[in-house]
Amino acid sequence: MRFIILFVLCLNAYSDSFYYNPINNHGALGVINIPSARFYSAPSASLSFYRGFPDRKVALTLYPYDWLEGTIYYSSIKDRYYGSFTSQDYKDKGFNLKLRLKEQGRFPAIALGLNDIGGTGLYSGEYIVSSLSRGNFDYHFGIAWGSLNHHEHFKNPFIYLNDKFSSRDSEIGKGGTLNLKDFFSGESISVFAGLNYLINENTILKFEYDPTKTPGRVGYEKRKSDF
């Protein structure tokens, strides 16, 4: 019994470790599509490749500080018009940022994220996520805006602070500009959740409630289930 208790406590103590935290489809620490409030220690880096439909993505993620995750990505989107001068698939690049607001203690870790900063806005979305590890389980729960707001569960709480948060740009930009007015904007927000279950150091079971908007600006196929 002492060995089992020690094992569980060790897993809780290393909730930000490599074994608990695989890279998600977008290059960030998370579950499958959703992000988590977990971070690798500095200096760390990861290189990930995602192959789906309609987009394929390569992402380089850096951790210059224990509280900062920065991802540079380059994607190719099939069946999307790129220009009259070429027949190749549409290409898009951008930058994602995640900041740690609180480490896990008695209460969950909390992080704030901004996707597609200064890009075209195809993947533009913001989120606030919390993560809490208990034994072999790592639970994640958050709220999201923009491209992560598929369900539109609740009214955007920032609207109560300023009506300017009620509108969000529906146009796709050319990239290279920081569209600050869209951050945390839109009439509604979506709730998302997920978990990672550590079976052993080589196997993790993942489950999530995905808020990714379909078809969205990228043109994803409408999914049969959000789980």
Side-chain angles (χ1 to χ4, degrees), residues 30 34 88 92 121 145 147 155 183 191 197 203:
I34 72 168
Q88 66 175 298
D92 188 66
W145 292 256
S147 65
K155 183 177 180 179
F183 288 172
V191 171
Y197 176 70
T203 310

Side-chain angles (χ1 to χ4, degrees), residues 15 29 42 78 101 144 146 171 173-174 186 201 207 212 224:
S15 55
L29 292 189
K78 294 184 68 64
L101 302 181
E171 299 295 326
K174 295 182 179 180
E201 291 186 351
F207 182 80
T212 304
K224 296 180 179 180

Side-chain angles (χ1 to χ4, degrees), residues 77 79-91:
I77 304 175
D79 300 333
R80 188 180 184 91
Y81 183 70
Y82 193 41
S84 58
F85 56 89
T86 179
S87 60
Q88 66 175 298
D89 295 330
Y90 185 86
K91 301 298 187 295

Side-chain angles (χ1 to χ4, degrees), residues 126-159:
E126 304 79 46
Y127 60 88
I128 299 173
V129 61
S130 62
S131 297
L132 179 68
S133 62
R134 286 293 181 262
N136 292 43
F137 290 91
D138 204 21
Y139 303 94
H140 315 288
F141 179 83
I143 57 175
W145 292 256
S147 65
L148 300 174
N149 180 25
H150 176 72
H151 308 294
E152 301 182 352
H153 288 123
F154 304 105
K155 183 177 180 179
N156 182 0
F158 288 114
I159 295 177

